[in-house]
Amino acid sequence: MDLGLAERVYLVTGGTSGLGYATAEALVRDGAKVVVSSRDEEKVAKAAASLGEGATGVAVDNADPEAPRLLVEAALAAFGRVDGALVSVGGPKPGVTTSVSDEVWRSSFESIFLGTVRLVRQLAPLLAKGEGRADGGAIAFVLSSSAKTPLPRLSVSNGLRAGLGMLVKDLSDELGPQDTRVLGLLPGKVLTDRTLALEKGDPQARSRAEAAIPLRRLGDPAEFGRIAAVLLSPAASYVTGSLVSIDGGAIRAL
């Protein structure tokens, strides 16, 4: 199936590892160009080189107010256009609501929530159908199953991801008339560095997690990346405002 990704250009924040890198890899494999970013300059260079000539990178923190401008400028300089973005940000520190400090809440809000809003604000006028564009673009937020059901000891994620899930609905109303699609992707337990870090010190964590997943296994990042690439592509042109679970069936809510 031709997804229509050839020569399209996507920003992929958090694109040097895990779910972001897996999505960038899937996009490039199907003919798209990508701009990957993270805070680590060495990781950015390594990821861009690994992805090949269809990729470039920017070392920038999502919490930096200048990040959206730098990412868009990199896309335009390297490839002459931008068609959408996957917004992925590393997970916040574990902790329950009453014990998480103000500083953790503020820094997490800046990177996860406000960083996402700023990027959408920068991209929105560039993704509208018309003025040289035959169709609109697409933006996907990497959220979490915590957008629908709380995860133990991950209160910051529970609060911010759910808020961004509602923004998916809000933005689909706002940007739909210009043919720009907005989606939320809800990964469950996927074998990433974040998952390994949360399991550390609990030898039974993996078996408990697998027992609660209908497919009885953790996901592979590539399984997430393939679905993300499809949803960002023109093949999914009538999908917007949706929160799409990529979790092996773990989320029980409708």
Side-chain angles (χ1 to χ4, degrees), residues 75-93:
L76 296 177
F79 306 119
R81 60 186 286 170
V82 61
D83 297 280
L86 180 90
V87 189
S88 178
V89 185
K93 291 181 180 180

Side-chain angles (χ1 to χ4, degrees), residues 85-202:
L86 180 90
V87 189
S88 178
V89 185
K93 291 181 180 180
V96 297
T97 301
T98 54
S99 68
V100 175
S101 69
D102 284 2
E103 179 51 37
V104 170
W105 279 107
R106 287 193 189 99
S107 63
S108 298
F109 179 80
E110 281 282 339
S111 61
I112 294 172
F113 198 98
L114 194 52
T116 298
V117 171
R118 288 176 180 137
L119 185 54
V120 171
R121 203 159 51 207
Q122 183 84 26
L123 282 173
L126 302 176
L127 300 183
K129 181 178 180 179
E131 302 207 5
R133 293 188 62 93
D135 55 15
I139 303 170
F141 302 163
V142 180
L143 303 179
S144 162
S145 59
S146 63
K148 286 197 171 184
T149 185
L151 296 174
R153 296 191 58 78
L154 290 176
S155 294
V156 178
S157 179
N158 294 337
L160 298 182
R161 306 294 192 192
L164 284 171
M166 189 57 73
L167 274 192
V168 167
K169 300 291 187 182
D170 179 72
L171 284 165
S172 68
D173 286 337
E174 181 181 350
L175 302 183
Q178 70 170 44
D179 202 28
T180 296
R181 300 182 298 110
V182 185
L183 300 152
L185 309 182
L186 311 185
K189 285 283 187 178
V190 181
L191 196 52
T192 62
D193 291 342
R194 164 76 167 174
T195 299
L196 294 174
L198 292 174
E199 288 180 350
K200 193 173 182 180
D202 184 354

Side-chain angles (χ1 to χ4, degrees), residues 180-252:
T180 296
R181 300 182 298 110
V182 185
L183 300 152
L185 309 182
L186 311 185
K189 285 283 187 178
V190 181
L191 196 52
T192 62
D193 291 342
R194 164 76 167 174
T195 299
L196 294 174
L198 292 174
E199 288 180 350
K200 193 173 182 180
D202 184 354
Q204 302 303 315
R206 179 74 58 85
S207 58
R208 286 199 308 272
E210 291 176 336
I213 299 170
L215 291 180
R216 294 298 188 270
R217 63 178 177 84
L218 270 60
D220 185 280
E223 294 178 295
F224 175 93
R226 289 192 294 268
I227 298 302
V230 170
L231 290 169
L232 285 167
S233 79
S237 58
Y238 203 55
V239 182
T240 192
S242 299
L243 301 181
V244 181
S245 301
I246 310 171
D247 67 343
I251 296 175
R252 295 297 191 264

